[in-house]
Amino acid sequence: MEPSKKDKKMMAFQPLSVSQLPHPLFESDRPDTLTLQSFHPEMLTRVVESQALKFPHNDNDPFRIFGLPRNILVEFRLLSKPCSVIRSVTIDAINKLDAASEKNSKESRVVFTGPQGCGKSFLLLQALQYCNARDWLVLYIPRATNLVNSTTAHTYDMRTRTYLQPIFAYQTLQRFLKVNTPRLEQLRTQTEIEIERRPPVPPGTPLVELINIGLKDQGHAPTVLDAVLEEIGKQTIFPVLLAVDDFQALYCKSHYRDQHFSAIKSYHLSMPRLLLEYASGQKSFARGAVLGALSMSNTTFPLPVELREALSLEYDRPYGPYVKRQQELVEYAHGLERLAVPSSLSVPEAASVFEVWMKDRAVPSKPNDELFLAKYSEASGNARAFVWKGLLSSMSA
């Protein structure tokens, strides 16, 4: 008798947690406990450069609510504790944020640039954690490609002549409220807000109530999200951080199609357009900053020429004056400042990374200087290659 299809189906094996392995037989296979200092704003000075710090474990941590880029998510699942190494560029980014906390966000629109795997996403995550700990209002988009890759529903809005993305706007409102509830409870609307098919929201309404309007009806979510960002942009009690990973995807061709199966421009979609307006300075926060991180490994949404020229980056293919530029994208990229992330880790930084993975037993052989220098040289100092092609490939071998 043939086995049933259910018996043939391959199941995914999930590792048991340490608490489920009490038998002494498994004691030797347990990773060492990482004894790292916590990531606190007061600690982030030149003194802690090249040191690994663990992120605090709170239910409302921004990266637990908003999500993470895929590569960082996998690393955090492999490690016993989410952590990162403080680099020189981390301190540079924090100094920019400290200055931005008292200035309009038009003056603080920064994009992290650098080669593939150099640590741009980790730097953006560190900036996010720093601002959250400093009592900023934070909004984090870890995968901007999901805004333009046609994975969420879209509907045409006659009023704004754009394509709304109600599901993504609803999820963004939900996460924004959960992360920033203590700060949002202190804010109220300053102007009357018009919302279709319901009475206008009067001035003085608690901002949490305005957000709940969008959470009760997904159809209102895009309008409410736009209104919430405008309201927090007027207040001066809390600085605001808007952080976007895969930033270049906002300037690329979207995979969405209209009723005639023609491609929809990214700036005709409500969510990318909203982020582009803040990135370009057309809209701004009274206090705060807009940060973006480029993804050089995504071939589906490569860095467009308009953004490359705005950031004064080298061309990766032949370009000239006869290559067509979209004027709308040129305007959306105008005024962006770049912060270059070093292409390779310094030896002390790489040593800290090596120590973290060593304590979690990612290196099967006995760690020594020869192994460290061999893996560091193989990766040419590149952060991602050092971990994935160096340390973790040793574990799989």
Side-chain angles (χ1 to χ4, degrees), residues 25-329:
L25 178 64
F26 303 106
E27 191 72 30
S28 61
D29 291 331
R30 292 187 185 181
D32 295 337
T33 302
L34 288 176
T35 54
L36 301 175
Q37 292 180 298
S38 294
F39 186 99
H40 288 302
E42 295 78 13
M43 295 185 59
L44 300 183
T45 62
R46 297 290 177 186
V47 177
V48 296
E49 274 187 27
S50 305
Q51 292 186 23
L53 301 179
K54 65 179 180 180
F55 292 122
H57 184 79
N58 299 317
D59 292 337
N60 290 336
D61 278 338
F63 71 86
R64 300 180 193 279
I65 306 302
F66 288 117
L68 289 167
R70 192 176 303 276
N71 59 317
I72 298 181
L73 176 63
V74 174
E75 287 190 23
F76 282 1
R77 286 181 175 177
L78 292 175
L79 289 168
S80 58
K81 295 177 182 176
C83 58
S84 67
V85 173
I86 305 303
R87 305 172 65 182
S88 176
V89 70
T90 306
I91 308 301
D92 294 338
I94 285 171
N95 290 338
K96 285 183 176 291
L97 288 171
D98 287 339
S101 64
E102 300 298 333
K103 296 190 298 185
N104 192 287
S105 66
K106 288 182 181 179
E107 303 176 46
S108 305
R109 296 175 287 126
V110 182
V111 179
F112 300 151
T113 64
Q116 176 180 339
C118 68
K120 300 180 292 294
S121 295
F122 261 105
L123 178 60
L124 189 66
L125 180 60
Q126 290 172 335
L128 174 73
Q129 290 294 116
Y130 175 80
C131 289
N132 184 63
R134 281 291 191 191
D135 217 25
W136 288 43
L137 290 163
V138 295
L139 176 59
Y140 180 43
I141 308 294
R143 305 179 190 180
T145 53
N146 290 341
L147 298 175
V148 292
N149 62 3
S150 192
T151 54
T152 58
H154 66 294
T155 57
Y156 186 71
D157 181 36
M158 292 291 293
R159 181 177 62 86
T160 61
R161 296 185 180 181
T162 59
Y163 290 87
L164 303 181
Q165 296 168 290
I167 296 176
F168 206 103
Y170 172 85
Q171 294 172 344
T172 303
L173 277 174
Q174 194 176 42
R175 293 164 183 164
F176 182 69
L177 176 61
K178 188 168 184 178
V179 171
N180 300 283
T181 298
R183 296 177 281 271
L184 290 172
E185 287 175 343
Q186 303 178 43
L187 301 177
R188 295 179 177 272
T189 58
Q190 299 181 27
T191 57
E192 185 176 85
I193 299 171
E194 297 285 344
I195 300 177
E196 289 185 349
R197 303 189 303 276
R198 61 163 290 120
V201 178
T205 303
L207 213 55
V208 174
E209 289 187 16
L210 174 60
I211 293 175
N212 285 329
I213 293 173
L215 296 181
K216 289 177 182 177
D217 186 350
Q218 276 191 2
H220 294 324
T223 304
V224 171
L225 178 61
D226 194 353
V228 167
L229 291 184
E230 284 198 16
E231 288 298 324
I232 65 174
K234 297 172 186 175
Q235 58 83 35
T236 56
I237 301 174
F238 302 106
V240 184
L241 174 69
L242 173 59
V244 184
D245 211 332
D246 290 333
F247 184 73
Q248 83 291 339
L250 303 177
Y251 295 81
C252 293
K253 295 179 180 178
S254 83
H255 291 177
Y256 285 90
R257 297 290 184 268
D258 62 13
Q259 68 272 24
H260 304 295
F261 208 71
S262 300
I264 300 174
K265 305 289 187 183
S266 61
Y267 47 84
H268 288 159
L269 294 163
S270 63
M271 286 296 296
R273 185 184 184 92
L274 181 62
L275 299 178
L276 286 170
E277 286 173 344
Y278 283 95
S280 63
Q282 295 179 15
K283 293 182 178 180
S284 62
F285 307 113
R287 296 173 59 198
V290 178
L291 299 183
L294 302 181
S295 173
M296 309 304 287
S297 59
N298 193 324
T299 56
T300 307
F301 298 100
L303 188 62
V305 61
E306 296 88 354
L307 186 57
R308 189 179 290 274
E309 291 178 342
L311 297 173
S312 302
L313 299 176
E314 294 182 359
Y315 296 110
D316 61 343
R317 65 193 69 182
Y319 277 110
Y322 299 105
V323 175
K324 186 177 180 181
R325 277 83 167 165
Q326 293 189 47
Q327 187 58 36
E328 294 86 353
L329 294 181

